[in-house]
Amino acid sequence: VQLQASGGGLVQTGDSLRLSCAASGLAFSSYMMGWFRQAPGKEREFVAAINGRGGTTWYPDSVKGRFTIARDNAKNTVSLQMNSLKPEDTAIYYCAASLGGSIYSIAAYHYWGQGTQVTVSS
């Protein structure tokens, strides 16, 4: 199984960025997909999740209304559209795949991508 995240970069406050994650080696539509992030010196935190069919999404209050997760099961990809970025969004962003459990918990995710750096300057 491989999850390859891409799309990170350096942007300014208020800008937008779209992350992508390409999955291979798994029955993609059977997995809930999530995005987490980890800032320096902080724990990895939940950012977004989407169910297998793509009809249900979850977000923490910190990104709700600014971030949108989507998936394309035909292409085995999941994306994270990030708008109105803030300096506090600076982190390494990881995509992950889960077969079940609490979507907010790292422990529920069986496979992880390598991460892509997002830096938002003020």
Side-chain angles (χ1 to χ4, degrees):
V1 175
Q2 281 194 330
L3 300 178
Q4 184 72 36
S6 61
L10 172 63
V11 297
Q12 295 184 335
T13 298
D15 284 352
S16 298
L17 206 57
R18 184 175 183 272
L19 306 183
S20 294
C21 177
S24 60
L26 75 171
F28 184 71
S29 62
S30 297
Y31 284 78
M32 181 172 301
M33 298 300 296
W35 286 95
F36 285 73
R37 67 187 181 187
Q38 188 166 18
K42 295 187 177 181
E43 294 186 350
R44 194 169 297 190
E45 64 174 0
F46 171 75
V47 174
I50 187 167
N51 69 344
R53 292 187 177 184
T56 305
T57 56
W58 296 265
Y59 307 93
D61 288 344
S62 58
V63 307
K64 194 174 294 183
R66 299 189 298 122
F67 290 12
T68 303
I69 188 172
R71 67 189 296 157
D72 185 337
N73 285 346
K75 296 182 179 180
N76 285 10
T77 59
V78 60
S79 64
L80 184 68
Q81 177 67 41
M82 305 185 294
N83 298 329
S84 302
L85 283 163
K86 306 174 181 179
E88 51 262 44
D89 294 318
T90 295
I92 298 175
Y93 284 70
Y94 300 88
C95 61
S98 171
L99 279 175
S102 171
I103 57 166
Y104 306 104
S105 173
I106 293 171
Y109 291 82
H110 303 79
Y111 302 110
W112 291 83
Q114 86 289 0
T116 185
Q117 176 72 48
V118 172
T119 303
V120 184
S121 64
S122 57

